[in-house]
Amino acid sequence: MDGSANAPSKPAAFFGGAVIGALGGLIGLGGAEFRLPLLIGIFNFAALEAVILNKAMSLVVVATALPFRASTVPFSEIGSHWEIVVNLLAGSLAGAWFGAGWATRLRSETLYKVISALLVAIAIILIVGHDATSGQPLLTGVAQLIAGIAAGFGIGIVAALLGVAGGELLIPTLVLLFGVDIKLAGSLSLAVSLPTMLVGFTRYSQDQSFSVLGRNKAFLIVMAAGSIVGTFIGGRLLGIVPNAFLLPALAVILLLSAVKVWRHK
């Protein structure tokens, strides 16, 4: 299906972008896991086109969420942990390129199945790790370095396949593997996500489905505007909404989203 946006869909696009952007700004996600079922199930985009649109929206959310969260997690604190960011990027950039190439070769029906399975997997990670707190890192030294690269590579693949920022995987990795605070982990995940997503986006630009962005400029602009409003709200809410309540709720939404995508195939 073409998936071209029409006038009645624009208010829904703005509202959907705002709600998902607020989640991204609050937790440190691109919000794409929740946007993807919306693009497929409500706006009727084909799987690969939805992934590409999702990637574009996720870039907007990630790029705006970082400065909006700065009042709680300043850039200086993010910069003081640059080694962790570089460690994860060493794997995630390669993973993003590989994953985007794989997605462009999959049949739509197969891609729907992969998307559903990944959404369920991410939900399980959120459920299992929602009460994780900062503390001692799981590994240190060379072992941590190797584990960080491996984790980054896997996260890069998932991010490219779903058109997501990968924060649901990055945040547990940062908390458990590197022992950082959960709020700092949210901002560090955004710092890793932005270049990772740019690599995946560049790879997708080589596929003919990338033209979906040009065919749906008005839809894209409206949803992007809603996303920016949402990330501002989410950044202001940071520290007010407890993660112990929010993350399990997001996991439930992911499971519902996975069912919706699976049925759409």
Side-chain angles (χ1 to χ4, degrees):
M1 184 173 290
D2 184 347
S4 296
N6 47 44
S9 73
K10 291 178 182 177
F14 183 89
F15 180 75
V19 172
I20 294 166
L23 292 174
L26 176 61
I27 304 174
L29 312 175
E33 298 76 10
F34 315 108
R35 191 185 305 105
L36 187 59
L38 189 70
L39 291 169
I40 293 174
I42 303 299
F43 297 110
N44 296 315
F45 287 97
L48 183 56
E49 291 186 337
V51 167
I52 292 172
L53 280 167
N54 206 17
K55 179 70 75 175
M57 290 296 97
S58 294
L59 280 169
V60 172
V61 171
V62 170
T64 55
L66 264 175
F68 288 153
R69 289 168 57 94
S71 59
T72 302
V73 183
F75 287 114
S76 59
E77 189 172 1
I78 297 172
S80 66
H81 293 81
W82 66 268
E83 300 98 331
I84 296 176
V85 174
V86 171
N87 188 180
L88 289 169
L89 281 175
S92 67
L93 295 179
W97 186 268
F98 177 82
W102 185 27
T104 58
R105 295 192 296 271
L106 290 176
R107 294 185 301 117
S108 289
E109 184 177 351
T110 303
L111 187 55
Y112 284 130
K113 292 178 180 179
V114 171
I115 288 171
S116 297
L118 289 174
L119 287 172
V120 171
I122 293 171
I124 292 172
I125 290 172
L126 282 176
I127 292 170
V128 172
H130 78 273
D131 58 350
T133 56
S134 60
Q136 293 298 318
L138 187 64
L139 299 171
T140 58
V142 176
Q144 185 187 67
L145 178 65
I146 295 173
I149 293 174
F153 184 77
I155 292 167
I157 290 176
V158 172
L161 279 175
L162 293 182
V164 304
E168 301 77 5
L169 300 175
L170 281 168
I171 291 173
T173 298
L174 287 160
V175 171
L176 298 175
L177 181 59
F178 297 97
V180 302
D181 174 76
I182 188 71
K183 291 180 182 177
L184 174 60
S187 291
L188 288 175
S189 77
L190 293 171
V192 174
S193 295
L194 188 56
T196 301
M197 293 174 66
L198 286 171
V199 168
F201 203 64
T202 301
R203 178 63 182 85
Y204 278 124
S205 68
Q206 301 176 10
D207 187 82
Q208 61 181 3
S209 295
F210 197 76
S211 63
V212 68
L213 298 180
R215 297 197 308 273
N216 295 275
K217 286 181 181 178
F219 177 89
L220 200 67
I221 291 171
V222 169
M223 184 167 271
S227 298
I228 293 171
V229 170
T231 54
F232 174 78
I233 295 171
R236 302 282 75 77
L237 290 174
L238 182 61
I240 297 176
V241 179
N243 287 310
F245 167 79
L246 189 56
L247 291 183
L250 295 183
V252 171
I253 296 173
L254 278 175
L255 291 174
L256 295 174
S257 298
V259 172
K260 190 172 185 65
V261 173
W262 181 271
R263 288 179 176 175
H264 190 79
K265 75 181 192 301

